[in-house]
Amino acid sequence: MGSRACSFGRLLTLMAAAALPFVLAGCGVGSARTMQPINTALTLAGGETSIDTNCTGCNATHAGGGAVNRITSMQADGGPADVTWTLSGGDTKAGAGSMNSAGEYTPPGFLTADRVEVTLTAQLKSDPSITATTHLSITPGFLEPLAPENAAVAPGGTITLSGRLAQAGGNTAIRFAVAAGTRESAAGTLGPVECTHARDTFTTCTVTYTAPTTVDAAGSVTYVEARAGAAKTETAILLSAAGVTSNPARHREALSWPVALGGSGGNNGDLDAHGSTVADCCGGTLGALLADSNGHQYLLSNNHVLARSDHAAAGDAVVQPGLIDNNCTPYGDGPGTTPIASLSAWLPLKSAQTNADAAIALIGTRTVDQSGAILELGSKQADGTLSAAAPGVSSTDGKGETGKLTMKVAKSGRTTGLTCGAVTAVDVDVNVDYFADCAETQPYLTKLFTHQMALSGDRFSDAGDSGALVVDAANAEPVGLFFAGGVDASGVVQAMATPAPEVLYELSAQAGTGTSYSFVGGADHAVSCLSYGDSTVAAAQREPLSTVEMARAAQALFAARLLVNPSQGILGVALGKSSDRVGEAAIVVYVDETMTPNVPVQVGGMRTMVIPTTEQAVAAGSAPVANMAAMTGLTSAALNRAVQAKQQAARQWMQENSAIFGVGVGQSLDNPREAAVVIYVDRSRLLKDLPQTMDGVRTRYVVMDRLHVTRSYMTAGPARKCMAKPGDETMPLDPRIKIPLF
């Protein structure tokens, strides 16, 4: 999500099958409208007439990045009106929702009918006789993304998809359809939809997808969309030409001992409890196996996964699967999850001396595969599934590899399983938000991490993948520990990982033991990479330009024509769209693909986009309008220049402008031969004037919600709550359960 960013790390759970939860709204953005007041002295405007329990169609964004349905109250002169809100109608069990003093409406968390009507009445405080009323129609929304939210399917293979609605009672059914991806056409067929409706459980619908019997040699991605009213979610289906079958659901299951890593796990006390009621619980990924200089072996994951963001105690039980995948039921209070390790040490987030989100737990006797095997990191088996395998350590003696720009990487995580992406920025300084509870109602701190590594790719990761080990796809050598992420405005996952050598150094220097650590693994080997692509450039090129921006570009084109000189390698110029700054125009400069002419970063105040091509293609009008090819490496000189520019200004930028929460060094999408200072900008506080260069180096902007380490606000689906079993008075359980250790 989204990022989740949310982060991705600690995912909130779904309810018990027989217990009805409350649901917090998440949402999209809709169009504004004007509502008719009862009294012309008071006017209501800006809300939506129809939304769902996820707040789909909401028209504003709150401070956390999520969208809300905001209604503005105005007096006759157009000024703001100070009003008191009252709500009526709604669901017979869940109520009418709530309204705060800012006019932000939150729908009820669930419905017991297909549709309910809510009446919102504003009463002017200075004159209570003056009121204005509007009506909202509420329909059930999705509780979470489809399960699974991504999967690989072999030609002719099948997979069953499941969706849940926030509806207990009623007859609404989920409508499924096969849809096209960014570049591919829709492929495959769906079987009949089967839904379960009951008064005391949420509505669940399933459908079976069947892949086509022939698949493009390079593989492709198609989507299964699910709709219920205005609410929408989808699953990405990777049609694997190699015949690989991968369902991330396996990563959420209880595994037989000794367990392979890359699956669900967490602290046994990682829940929010109110008396005997469990409101929320969390979980993440058990990432890798470490060994210390004395031969002891430890689970490696994030602090916020194993140590509850500094709120755990040494000796706490680490369980598999995590509570998130066991209906919020801790070990000792019911079946389904078991302790496999004991929390040993963590890097305190509150310490200014630590630079990684990491924790380790001493493994129990025969509880964890001592080879360090990770789910799906191995080769394809006879049935098309991928075997578990240890990461490669033979090239680095277990000390980890340094990730480089454009390196193809893989990770095996609790939520999205095995996925591949690429390193898109290095030397990243980034602020990440942490909370003291699963529901993210208690902010803990915002921590600055330096020299981090950014990864991106469609469906690369999501909430619950935190703690996953990131490896070089070419040899399975560890390159990083994933800890935060989200989804940018183009729909592409942006993830953060601490370089693997830095994690080992930090644990040795800061965890208090003074011992050295290394990754447990085997011989280097290639990973059967599952990549869903990267739609960053394609999404940027689909973004429309404003009339003002087009006029600016047209004016700059006159100056750009003076650059054309075929003998010097510049073949022509045209109007285009920047991929480094979405929504901004660019001057396309076509250059001879056999030459490397010097093209200015900007012309007439506009960015330049440099595209290698041929003179014949320019003359025929068939030259591309954007750099769609895969990124290649940069020269050391280009990279070093960008690093220097970033180091000189990045920290100052972040301190002076709170909208900027991260700065690193990557590759320009407008001119891949040049490096760029990559700047991560809060989408809720987007700056109007973003510079095109930093000390002469190109800038590239990633616009998204701020990074945090639980649920990504961009992830479809709300936070969820579940109840303890009736009569259970034992929660929360003490997580410090004794387990057999070496």
Side-chain angles (χ1 to χ4, degrees):
M1 224 173 250
S3 337
R4 201 177 4 194
C6 152
S7 138
F8 282 172
R10 307 186 316 168
L11 187 62
L12 300 178
T13 193
L14 203 51
M15 61 169 230
L20 198 60
F22 301 94
V23 185
L24 302 176
C27 36
V29 178
S31 58
R33 67 185 183 89
T34 299
M35 292 170 279
Q36 295 299 319
I38 294 175
N39 192 310
T40 56
L42 180 63
T43 301
L44 304 180
E48 298 294 326
T49 56
S50 180
I51 60 175
D52 59 42
T53 54
N54 296 127
C55 211
T56 300
C58 295
N59 66 317
T61 303
H62 61 57
V68 295
N69 194 41
R70 179 173 293 162
I71 299 172
T72 302
S73 53
M74 298 179 294
Q75 299 185 71
D77 61 2
D82 189 11
V83 301
T84 300
W85 290 96
T86 58
L87 283 66
S88 60
D91 189 85
T92 56
K93 289 187 177 180
S98 62
M99 189 74 132
N100 65 18
S101 59
E104 296 175 349
Y105 172 74
T106 298
F110 64 93
L111 301 183
T112 57
D114 294 332
R115 180 187 299 270
V116 300
E117 301 295 324
V118 174
T119 299
L120 308 177
T121 300
Q123 185 179 52
L124 196 62
K125 289 183 178 180
S126 61
D127 186 351
S129 66
I130 298 178
T131 62
T133 300
T134 188
H135 305 278
L136 296 178
S137 179
I138 316 295
T139 55
F142 287 97
L143 286 170
E144 59 181 2
L146 293 184
E149 56 187 283
N150 62 282
V153 181
T158 63
I159 188 168
T160 299
L161 308 177
S162 175
R164 289 192 181 190
L165 296 177
Q167 175 182 261
N171 296 297
T172 296
I174 298 174
R175 307 186 306 277
F176 294 91
V178 180
T182 302
R183 297 178 302 278
E184 304 84 4
S185 59
T189 58
L190 297 175
V193 177
E194 298 183 0
C195 295
T196 300
H197 300 280
R199 294 181 61 84
D200 57 356
T201 60
F202 285 138
T203 294
T204 300
C205 297
T206 60
V207 69
T208 297
Y209 167 83
T210 301
T213 55
T214 59
V215 175
D216 184 272
S220 60
V221 179
T222 193
Y223 295 85
V224 176
E225 291 183 346
R227 294 177 181 270
K232 173 186 172 183
T233 186
E234 64 185 17
T235 288
I237 305 292
L238 175 62
L239 304 177
S240 172
V244 172
T245 297
S246 175
N247 187 339
R250 181 188 176 197
H251 294 247
R252 306 184 185 191
E253 298 172 351
L255 303 173
S256 58
W257 287 14
V259 302
L261 304 178
S264 172
N267 189 295
N268 194 51
D270 207 356
L271 50 80
D272 301 338
H274 306 290
S276 63
T277 299
V278 176
D280 309 278
C281 63
C282 310
T285 297
L286 305 177
L289 195 63
L290 299 184
D292 67 14
S293 52
N294 296 315
H296 297 130
Q297 292 187 329
Y298 304 83
L299 285 176
L300 170 67
S301 187
N302 295 143
N303 175 323
H304 74 267
V305 174
L306 300 186
R308 301 172 56 206
S309 298
D310 292 346
H311 291 78
D316 280 2
V318 172
V319 295
Q320 198 286 317
L323 303 187
I324 180 73
D325 295 307
N326 195 44
N327 195 36
C328 289
T329 305
Y331 177 76
D333 194 63
T337 193
T338 54
I340 61 171
S342 177
L343 182 63
S344 305
W346 58 92
L347 301 176
L349 297 169
K350 64 181 178 181
S351 171
Q353 304 304 312
T354 59
N355 194 41
D357 181 347
I360 55 175
L362 186 66
I363 67 172
T365 305
R366 295 181 294 278
T367 59
V368 176
D369 189 320
Q370 294 183 32
S371 72
I374 296 175
L375 293 171
E376 297 194 293
L377 211 61
S379 59
K380 187 181 75 170
Q381 303 177 105
D383 62 356
T385 61
L386 298 173
S387 64
V393 297
S394 56
S395 295
T396 65
D397 197 27
K399 297 307 179 183
E401 183 179 300
T402 301
K404 295 180 173 58
L405 281 178
T406 73
M407 174 187 282
K408 194 173 186 180
V409 296
K411 74 97 195 66
S412 179
R414 174 260 176 204
T415 304
T416 56
L418 180 73
T419 56
C420 291
V423 178
T424 51
V426 295
D427 195 31
V428 181
D429 295 350
V430 60
N431 283 315
V432 179
D433 297 333
Y434 287 84
F435 293 82
D437 62 335
C438 293
E440 297 185 356
T441 61
Q442 302 173 32
Y444 176 47
L445 56 79
T446 296
K447 185 173 179 66
L448 173 67
F449 295 94
T450 61
H451 308 299
Q452 302 297 298
M453 179 173 57
L455 321 165
S456 74
D458 297 348
R459 307 285 169 154
F460 177 71
S461 58
D462 203 348
D465 286 330
S466 274
L469 183 69
V470 180
V471 301
D472 184 342
N475 57 21
E477 283 276 353
V479 295
L481 181 65
F482 169 63
F483 71 99
V487 181
D488 67 23
S490 298
V492 178
V493 170
Q494 303 291 335
M496 291 290 165
T498 303
E502 175 77 1
V503 173
L504 299 183
Y505 170 80
E506 286 279 319
L507 286 171
S508 178
Q510 304 286 347
T513 62
T515 188
S516 62
Y517 297 90
S518 59
F519 290 97
V520 175
D524 290 357
H525 61 89
V527 177
S528 298
C529 232
L530 301 180
S531 175
Y532 293 80
D534 190 321
S535 56
T536 299
V537 174
Q541 295 304 306
R542 289 196 301 269
E543 188 73 15
L545 298 177
S546 67
T547 302
V548 172
E549 191 68 13
M550 292 177 66
R552 288 182 60 235
Q555 185 175 9
L557 188 61
F558 288 102
R561 290 187 177 121
L562 298 176
L563 297 175
V564 178
N565 187 340
S567 65
Q568 297 297 316
I570 299 181
L571 306 177
V573 296
L575 295 179
K577 300 176 182 178
S578 172
S579 296
D580 282 340
R581 174 69 173 97
V582 179
E584 187 174 288
I587 299 298
V588 176
V589 180
Y590 292 111
V591 300
D592 190 321
E593 60 188 11
T594 66
M595 303 173 66
T596 55
N598 185 22
V599 178
V601 173
Q602 51 187 327
V603 176
M606 300 297 299
R607 296 174 183 267
T608 57
M609 175 181 286
V610 182
I611 301 180
T613 186
T614 65
E615 193 169 359
Q616 293 78 10
V618 173
S622 59
V625 295
N627 291 298
M628 303 297 294
M631 297 287 102
T632 57
L634 292 170
T635 65
S636 297
L639 184 60
N640 290 337
R641 184 185 173 203
V643 169
Q644 291 175 2
K646 174 257 175 182
Q647 291 177 343
Q648 290 174 2
R651 194 66 57 84
Q652 180 180 352
W653 273 34
M654 294 176 67
Q655 291 175 346
E656 293 180 352
N657 199 315
S658 60
I660 296 174
F661 61 86
V663 183
V665 175
Q667 197 160 9
S668 170
L669 302 179
D670 288 340
N671 186 0
R673 293 176 177 174
E674 295 185 24
V677 176
V678 183
I679 302 169
Y680 298 83
V681 184
D682 187 336
R683 65 187 300 165
S684 67
R685 289 181 284 177
L686 188 59
L687 304 174
K688 292 183 178 180
D689 298 317
L690 297 172
Q692 299 179 12
T693 63
M694 179 183 288
D695 292 340
V697 177
R698 290 178 182 265
T699 55
R700 178 161 71 87
Y701 292 91
V702 178
V703 179
M704 59 186 294
D705 294 327
R706 293 179 60 86
L707 295 177
H708 62 115
V709 290
T710 45
R711 170 166 292 279
S712 169
Y713 289 112
M714 291 301 294
T715 301
R720 297 176 287 277
K721 297 184 179 181
C722 61
M723 305 296 291
K725 300 183 297 297
D728 186 351
E729 302 298 332
T730 65
M731 296 189 188
L733 186 74
D734 187 340
R736 285 167 283 180
I737 296 171
K738 301 299 183 182
I739 60 175
L741 298 174
F742 290 116

